[in-house]
Amino acid sequence: MTDVVREARPAQAATRWWRDAVIYQVYVRSFADGNGDGVGDLLGVRSRLGYLAELGVDAVWLTPFYTSPMADFGYDVADYRDVDPIFGTLDDARALIEDAHRHGLKVITDVVPNHTSDRHAWFTAAVAAGPGSPERERYIFRPGRGAGGELPPNDWESVFGGPAWTRLPDGEWYLHLFAPEQPDLNWENPEVHAEFEAILRFWLDLGVDGFRIDVAHGMVKAPGLPDIGVAGQVEMLGTAVLPYFDQDGVHEIHRAWRRVLDAYDGERIGVAEAWAPSQERLAKYVRPDELHQAFNFHFLKTPWDAAMLRGVIDESLATVAPVGAPPTWVLSNHDVKRHVTRYGDGEPGLRRARAAALMMLALPGSTYIYQGEELGLPEVLDLPEEVCQDPQRLRNPEDGRDGCRVPIPWAHSEPPFGFSPPGIEDTWLPVPATWGPLSVEAQLGDPGSTLSLYRAALRLRREHPALGDGVITWHDSPEGTLVFDRGEGFVCTVNASGEPVELPRPGRLLVASAPVGEGPGVVRLAPDSAAWWTREDA
């Protein structure tokens, strides 16, 4: 594998790079193990930057690598200004950012502002200081209900299951919308605002190009912390959640953070992980004075169905248009089952996943790729019970996220397939013994592999002037198919049906997820496939 140092997209302006960037999500624990302890780390990520540059992405988003007891694998932060020894050192982080920039890659890091770890210095001080202390004002402490305060302050539930409150020995309860080891911060306290603006500046000064904001919809709580009852639950973009999220007050926080980002050169960006009850509410997070992007979970959750896909694409485009923000597109991430499996698993799931990738990469706006999707990795559904560690499994074993976090296979050898240095066999999650043919090494030598498809599509996306930011025009096509162009020179065809489909020949074939048949003036699309065409030489 060559060590590629690549210039930025030729047609890309020095600013507003984020409007059509392809951003690659690295789940650090599972990407590459540089020090031989079976856990991915920053040294491992540095060693694979050439692979990412050669793949053709524009930026890398790193999941949390901060000091943490790992109750939720880094999303319980004990020190926001340092690196956990599992992942390396602060010098490793600095070197990674510098190396990424030399490879032409932007770096986006996670920030977790809704809650800290219960080992954070602020929370340990709050527990020690006792009720009524200034230290407790940084978090959300309340007396309990009932004659002796033995009942939680309200009926809120944790996202991970059970009450969202834990009682301390002194009788007070603290709020945690996630695990008990993740106490929620009190964003009505000015100290919290000042601390997080300082955290952002710390990492911006080190050179990061932006932040993915965890639970961007959650920091501000419903006034008075009222009971909600079962009837208070709502559907947020297809997912049942509780309405203490998405309070209007979060937008003032994001406006303040935008001012911090805008004070730095190079268009540093904020990306919202936000669940909202509607696309219209979601669009508020990307108004011109707030964040730059918000994840499009609605698109991610859409089944492999042509009519439904067109509907959610149109809705997504219409929603962000009034605020001038680019849409974002994502098929998988570290919190959901991999889309190969969601689309049917096995050969049908892979066929649809390859087609979905081409469709997604042809859409206007910015795209996110979750590590390993370029290899066509499926969800690992048969992990031994004793290795599963995700706290979300406490709510429902089917909700466990371990299966999408299995380490990446790099070499076509023996498990763990080059994830760790030679001689290391035990990794934090086991790599399936059948994954050798899915490894980077095996697929690099196969022009028909999923990795080769992604590399070709990302190269074309970078080179073709019609792709990236812009508009989309739909064309009439048979049921179960989608045909759209991105200007006069580019056409994408998608056959989401289970049968071959014949279409008028759109032009010269650029790339396809499956073999395309051609006859006089027509093309035959394989079932569950997609293809890109140029009208040149049509």
Side-chain angles (χ1 to χ4, degrees), residues 252-293:
E252 287 304 318
I253 299 170
H254 299 318
R255 288 188 183 98
W257 287 14
R258 178 62 180 262
R259 291 192 289 272
V260 173
L261 293 166
D262 286 349
Y264 286 79
D265 294 334
E267 290 272 315
R268 316 293 179 97
I269 71 168
V271 182
E273 184 220 21
W275 293 92
S278 67
Q279 289 280 40
E280 290 70 27
R281 290 286 298 181
L282 184 63
K284 292 179 181 293
Y285 290 83
V286 290
R287 288 177 287 194
D289 62 343
E290 294 196 36
L291 302 176
H292 299 74
Q293 296 182 351

Side-chain angles (χ1 to χ4, degrees), residues 145 152-156 224-229:
R145 297 190 292 192
N154 65 24
D155 65 355
W156 292 8
L225 310 183
D227 283 341
I228 59 171

Side-chain angles (χ1 to χ4, degrees), residues 174-222:
Y174 69 88
L175 179 68
H176 52 86
L177 296 183
F178 293 86
E181 296 89 350
Q182 295 169 291
D184 278 43
L185 288 159
N186 174 19
W187 277 88
E188 295 181 3
N189 188 323
E191 282 189 86
V192 176
H193 289 259
E195 171 67 2
F196 272 87
E197 290 189 18
I199 290 166
L200 297 185
R201 290 190 181 96
F202 176 86
W203 289 103
L204 290 166
D205 290 340
L206 259 65
V208 303
D209 300 285
F211 301 95
R212 177 264 191 186
I213 301 165
D214 186 62
V215 196
H217 56 297
M219 293 101 84
V220 174
K221 316 307 180 192

Side-chain angles (χ1 to χ4, degrees), residues 341-358:
T341 298
R342 298 199 320 270
Y343 287 161
D345 216 12
E347 192 275 333
L350 179 59
R351 192 172 65 234
R352 293 163 185 160
R354 287 165 58 94
L358 279 191

Side-chain angles (χ1 to χ4, degrees), residues 237 276-284 296 298 312 315-316 319:
L237 301 185
S278 67
Q279 289 280 40
E280 290 70 27
R281 290 286 298 181
L282 184 63
K284 292 179 181 293
N296 191 346
H298 199 182
V312 74
E315 184 180 7
S316 301
T319 299

Side-chain angles (χ1 to χ4, degrees), residues 505 517-524:
R505 185 173 180 267
E518 297 197 47
V522 298
V523 294
R524 288 181 293 276

Side-chain angles (χ1 to χ4, degrees), residues 36-115:
D37 63 358
V39 178
D41 48 41
L42 299 183
L43 182 61
V45 178
R46 283 184 67 195
S47 73
R48 301 295 184 179
L49 289 173
Y51 165 80
L52 296 176
E54 194 169 47
L55 180 62
V57 300
D58 300 297
V60 180
W61 155 31
L62 303 169
T63 54
F65 48 77
Y66 314 114
T67 305
S68 169
M70 302 295 163
D72 189 20
F73 298 110
Y75 285 93
D76 50 317
V77 181
D79 186 345
Y80 291 84
R81 295 177 178 84
D82 205 355
V83 174
D84 195 278
I86 291 175
F87 301 127
T89 66
L90 193 57
D91 284 340
D92 290 328
R94 186 179 291 108
L96 170 56
I97 295 165
E98 293 172 354
D99 280 0
H101 289 163
R102 280 195 289 270
H103 281 83
L105 299 168
K106 305 283 189 180
V107 177
I108 296 170
T109 58
D110 251 301
V111 64
V112 186
N114 180 70
H115 47 263

